Amino acid sequence: MHLLDISLQSRVIIGISAMVLLFGSFIIVFIANQRKKLQYHKNLQAIHQQQQQQLIEQNLKLEDRVKERTTALQEQKENLQVALTNLKASQLQLVQKEKMASLGEVASGIAHEIQNPLNFVNNFSEITEELLLEMKELLAAENGNVKTTEEIDLLVEDIIENLKKINHHGRRADNIVKNMLQHGRSSGNEIVLTDVNYLANEYINLAYHAFKVKDKTFHAVINTALDPTLEKINIIAEDIGRVLMNIYDNAFYAVSEKSKKNEPGYEPTVTLTTKNEGNKIKIIIRDNGVGIAKKYTDKIYQPFFTTKPTGTGTGLGLSLSYDIIKAHQGEIKVDAAEGEFAEFTIELLYD
């Protein structure tokens, strides 16, 4: 009985020891796992912190690069702004140069237009003075001679005729001055009721005389076919005059260049035609000069494009003309054949 109790105690002790050992093992494993988990979280946190640090460094680098790029773009913008400002200034200078060149041609034409009637006035004034002196001598020698009386009557008639011519050409000069003053007052964007026939005819004469200033030997035939049914229309007369001046000058240049080739039977000719087509007026300027190559007809309205030699033209005349006609809600067209002719048609709408 006593031995049985000892065996039972031993078993209990062994069982308890086994449980303690098992529990201890479990505790050890649990603690080890917890340590591993803790180390894992520490490592994960370290990695996270490292990544955060790398991200911060990358962000700083990116911000620096953005700042550098922004600075570079700002410098480029400023450089482009300066270049654009310089380009606009250059364009304005070239446009102003073209306008001044056109104005100079108009001024030269006006000077010659006025000079012609003034020459008549001066010449007839001198002749009239001589006639009056001759009459004075005849009157002093007058003794009732019938022949002398007849001579005096003829002198009086000559004087009257001279005075009529002086009056006519004086009015012609006065009309030219008044017309140019009117255009001067309408500078800017003032729209005025304008006689297109008169405007086109005046400017072709001005352009012709202006071209002769540049080339004393130049000569051309000017033909005009002006439609008498044309009504006055509201336009900016000075601007349309500038367009006409540009086209006329090109026409005279074209026939002048062809004249230099000395082709047998060639006669330089510029023809001005106007037409009334309902609510549309057409101004047609045709020359039989060197013409325009087909490959250039689509380019002639581009700024700075010119077929003239370097230094002869700015390449802005037709470009400005195109813009002016478009601003008038009109059209400008060209038909040409190289070596044969060039024909510009300006179409202006009116109510």
Side-chain angles (χ1 to χ4, degrees):
M1 187 69 179
H2 181 69
L3 290 172
L4 181 61
D5 293 337
I6 293 171
S7 176
L8 181 60
Q9 289 178 356
S10 297
R11 289 179 182 177
V12 171
I13 291 169
I14 291 170
I16 292 171
S17 298
M19 289 178 63
V20 169
L21 182 63
L22 182 63
F23 181 74
S25 299
F26 175 77
I27 292 298
I28 291 171
V29 171
F30 177 76
I31 291 171
N33 288 336
Q34 288 297 103
R35 285 180 178 177
K36 287 181 180 180
K37 286 182 180 179
L38 182 60
Q39 186 62 40
Y40 171 78
H41 285 295
K42 285 182 179 180
N43 293 338
L44 187 62
Q45 186 176 7
I47 292 171
H48 180 69
Q49 288 176 348
Q50 185 179 4
Q51 289 177 343
Q52 285 289 105
Q53 185 63 32
Q54 290 177 350
L55 183 60
I56 290 171
E57 291 175 358
Q58 289 178 355
N59 285 338
L60 291 174
K61 290 180 180 179
L62 184 60
E63 286 179 2
D64 291 338
R65 291 181 62 185
V66 169
K67 287 179 181 178
E68 291 176 0
R69 186 60 178 165
T70 302
T71 302
L73 289 174
Q74 185 64 30
E75 290 178 358
Q76 290 179 1
K77 179 183 176 182
E78 291 174 358
N79 292 335
L80 288 173
Q81 190 66 39
V82 171
L84 180 60
T85 302
N86 293 336
L87 179 61
K88 287 182 178 179
S90 299
Q91 287 178 335
L92 287 174
Q93 289 175 358
L94 287 171
V95 170
Q96 187 64 24
K97 180 181 177 181
E98 179 66 24
K99 288 183 178 179
M100 292 305 295
S102 178
L103 180 61
E105 291 176 356
V106 172
S108 299
I110 292 171
H112 281 75
E113 279 287 284
I114 294 176
Q115 189 176 23
N116 288 333
L118 288 180
N119 285 338
F120 278 104
V121 169
N122 293 332
N123 292 336
F124 283 118
S125 296
E126 291 174 1
I127 294 172
T128 301
E129 182 181 1
E130 293 173 0
L131 291 174
L132 287 172
L133 289 173
E134 186 178 345
M135 181 186 295
K136 184 178 180 181
E137 292 173 0
L138 288 173
L139 287 172
E142 171 60 26
N143 292 315
N145 191 326
V146 175
K147 183 178 179 181
T148 303
T149 303
E150 291 176 352
E151 290 178 353
I152 291 174
D153 289 340
L154 290 174
L155 287 174
V156 170
E157 289 178 4
D158 287 342
I159 290 171
I160 292 172
E161 189 64 29
N162 285 351
L163 290 174
K164 287 181 179 179
K165 291 178 180 178
I166 290 172
N167 181 266
H168 169 75
H169 290 289
R171 289 180 179 275
R172 168 65 178 156
D174 180 66
N175 191 43
I176 292 171
V177 172
K178 285 181 178 178
N179 183 56
M180 291 304 104
L181 287 175
Q182 182 179 359
H183 291 325
R185 284 193 297 269
S186 63
S187 61
N189 294 322
E190 183 180 351
I191 297 176
V192 294
L193 197 61
T194 304
D195 184 338
V196 174
N197 276 342
Y198 180 80
L199 186 74
N201 193 53
E202 280 295 298
Y203 270 93
I204 198 170
N205 291 324
L206 292 176
Y208 178 67
H209 289 299
F211 201 89
K212 283 184 70 69
V213 171
K214 295 182 284 187
D215 183 0
K216 303 294 183 183
T217 63
F218 176 71
H219 170 74
V221 175
I222 298 177
N223 293 327
T224 57
L226 306 179
D227 190 340
T229 66
L230 253 64
E231 298 179 3
K232 291 184 177 181
I233 62 172
N234 288 309
I235 55 174
I236 302 176
E238 185 191 23
D239 283 353
I240 299 300
R242 183 177 292 118
V243 172
L244 293 171
M245 198 74 180
N246 282 325
I247 297 176
Y248 291 149
D249 184 69
N250 287 341
F252 290 131
Y253 175 83
V255 297
S256 174
E257 289 298 300
K258 192 169 182 177
S259 295
K260 295 174 183 177
K261 297 180 181 179
N262 296 319
E263 296 180 0
Y266 175 69
E267 186 174 38
T269 305
V270 177
T271 302
L272 166 65
T273 305
T274 59
K275 293 181 180 180
N276 186 3
E277 297 186 353
N279 66 335
K280 182 191 300 181
I281 284 179
K282 282 188 177 181
I283 306 171
I284 305 167
I285 300 118
R286 183 185 179 96
D287 68 76
N288 63 345
V290 294
I292 304 172
K294 290 295 182 184
K295 62 181 179 180
Y296 294 140
T297 53
D298 293 334
K299 300 179 180 180
I300 58 175
Y301 302 121
Q302 295 177 5
F304 312 114
F305 177 83
T306 178
T307 58
K308 295 179 181 179
T310 303
T312 305
T314 62
L316 286 172
L318 288 177
S319 174
L320 288 172
S321 299
Y322 181 86
D323 291 340
I324 288 171
I325 297 302
K326 282 296 180 184
H328 279 77
Q329 307 301 315
E331 289 189 45
I332 180 169
K333 303 175 181 177
V334 62
D335 182 26
E338 188 174 10
E340 297 182 20
F341 75 94
E343 181 178 280
F344 284 85
T345 301
I346 299 170
E347 296 181 355
L348 297 172
L349 300 176
Y350 70 97
D351 297 326

